[in-house]
Amino acid sequence: MKVQNFRNVRGLTAAPGVLMHVVAGPAEGAPNFVMRLFEIQPGSATPHHSHPWEHEIFVVSGKGTLKSGDRQTPLREGDAAMVLPDELHSFANAGRETLRVICVVPLVDGKMPGMPVAD
Amino acid sequence: MKVQNFRNVRGLTAAPGVLMHVVAGPAEGAPNFVMRLFEIQPGSATPHHSHPWEHEIFVVSGKGTLKSGDRQTPLREGDAAMVLPDELHSFANAGRETLRVICVVPLVDGKMPGMPVAD
């Protein structure tokens, strides 16, 4: 068992204005999936991209937009999103405060799958 | 892709004073794991139990205690917890407001594994 606050886990730059805190993953002995806390600054977004693995997401605080192809869905605190494998998607901050989202991905070959830096 | 607020997902009683909202799971096409939002009322707790699958947890709001065997660890907003397979554990609300935690479990044979009602 391990408990740690995301603020004590060093954030990795996933995109400009986007920090990723890996809060439960291989370093904690995770057997199947990895939990990350993303902090997206106002005006920033993750790259619009797709990959063969899914996302399960929960909005902790802030306001955002989930884009999937040409479709845009607003996001607010308490929203959960299921992004299926190979769905084109990106998350943007649409508010004035930091957008914080939990994003869980499966382990692939025992590792957290990579995130492209650009589209 | 599906987006839904946990408040619009019917809560299932997991224990007295404990509601479970399944926000991303088989009904949403989840291939590997299930995300749930638990609401634990003041004075309530999940059963002290173990099972062969892990939990990855994130505290959205409230104050709590994670018990593992005889060890008790305080929980606050922003804490993430990794509970490994077969670890004895329970979550209790140690505050005056609802304790809300995200809890992710793997799918077992394509289904969300069950939660015992009692210890």
Side-chain angles (χ1 to χ4, degrees), chain B residues 7-84:
Chain B
R7 295 172 181 88
N8 298 328
V9 177
R10 190 168 66 91
L12 307 171
T13 300
V18 181
L19 276 185
M20 174 177 66
H21 304 261
V22 181
V23 294
E28 288 74 30
N32 292 300
F33 46 86
V34 187
M35 176 179 278
R36 300 94 52 89
L37 185 289
F38 282 82
E39 294 188 291
I40 305 175
Q41 296 307 313
S44 294
T46 62
H48 201 54
H49 69 300
S50 68
H51 40 63
W53 57 88
E54 73 276 27
H55 285 322
E56 292 183 15
I57 280 157
F58 186 85
V59 181
V60 177
S61 63
K63 292 181 180 176
T65 305
L66 170 53
K67 186 177 170 188
S68 180
D70 292 333
R71 181 178 162 200
Q72 299 210 32
T73 306
L75 294 176
R76 68 178 178 95
E77 174 274 327
D79 280 348
M82 176 86 230
V83 177
L84 296 174

Side-chain angles (χ1 to χ4, degrees), chain A residues 31-33 56, chain B residues 24-26 30-36 51-55 85-86 104-115:
Chain A
N32 292 300
F33 46 87
E56 293 183 14
Chain B
N32 292 300
F33 46 86
V34 187
M35 176 179 278
R36 300 94 52 89
H51 40 63
W53 57 88
E54 73 276 27
H55 285 322
D86 298 318
V104 186
V105 295
L107 285 170
V108 177
D109 297 329
K111 298 180 183 175
M112 184 174 74
M115 184 171 181

Side-chain angles (χ1 to χ4, degrees), chain A residues 2-70:
Chain A
K2 183 172 181 180
V3 176
Q4 55 188 346
N5 197 276
F6 83 87
R7 296 172 181 87
N8 298 328
V9 177
R10 189 168 66 90
L12 307 171
T13 300
V18 180
L19 275 185
M20 173 177 67
H21 305 261
V22 181
V23 294
E28 288 74 29
N32 292 300
F33 46 87
V34 187
M35 176 179 278
R36 300 94 54 87
L37 184 288
F38 282 82
E39 294 188 291
I40 304 174
Q41 296 306 314
S44 293
T46 62
H48 201 54
H49 69 301
S50 68
H51 39 63
W53 56 87
E54 72 275 27
H55 286 321
E56 293 183 14
I57 280 157
F58 186 84
V59 180
V60 176
S61 64
K63 293 181 180 176
T65 305
L66 170 53
K67 186 177 170 188
S68 180
D70 292 333

